[in-house]
Structure formats: C-alpha cells, structure tokens
Amino acid sequence: MRNSDECPRESTGDASRLARLRATAAKVKGRSSAIQADSRRIAQAGEEIRRGLREQRERLVDGYEAIRARRNARHAPG
C-alpha cells in the first residue's frame, strides 16, 4: 500500500473518488447527529409520558382511597 507521502501526485480519478468519499462521510455524520438528536428527544418525551402516567396513577389511587374512606364512613356503625 502506498502512503500519500510516497505518492506526491494522485490521479484525477483517485482525487475525485476521495472527494466523493469525504462528501459521503460528511452526509453520514450529519445524519448520525440528526438521529442522535431525535433519539434524545424521543427518550425525553418518553420520560415525560412516564412521569405523567405515574402522576395520573397516583391521583387515581388517591381518589379511590378517598371514595373508599367516605363509603366506609357512611356505612360505619354509629
């Protein structure tokens, strides 16, 4: 294999291919960054949904317990 130091002049085809590869690498890197940003947003949205569901569950449990306490108080002897 030749090193670029050993071959001072690249052929036009090699330079063109290298330029295309670099352009493709830049596109892939850009897409990768976009995918990572999307993944972070999705993870954050999922966490917000889980937090909301957890809070809703707590409110429902509290409501059921309050209903049960009122019902028990109405039916309590006395």
Side-chain angles (χ1 to χ4, degrees), residues 28-49:
V28 169
K29 185 176 181 183
R31 289 178 184 164
S32 172
S33 296
I35 290 169
Q36 288 175 342
D38 288 346
S39 295
R40 284 190 294 272
R41 283 192 294 273
I42 290 168
Q44 183 178 8
E47 190 57 40
E48 290 173 10
I49 290 168

Side-chain angles (χ1 to χ4, degrees), residues 1-3 10 19 25 27 34 39 44 50 52 57-58 64 72 74-75:
M1 281 205 148
R2 286 192 168 185
N3 184 329
E10 295 178 340
K27 286 179 187 177
S39 295
Q44 183 178 8
R50 282 188 290 276
R57 183 180 60 226
E58 290 171 1
Y64 285 131
N72 289 340
R74 276 195 304 247
H75 298 313

Side-chain angles (χ1 to χ4, degrees), residues 2-12 14-15:
R2 286 192 168 185
N3 184 329
S4 61
D5 295 337
E6 296 171 359
C7 183
R9 294 171 45 128
E10 295 178 340
S11 71
T12 305
D14 289 345

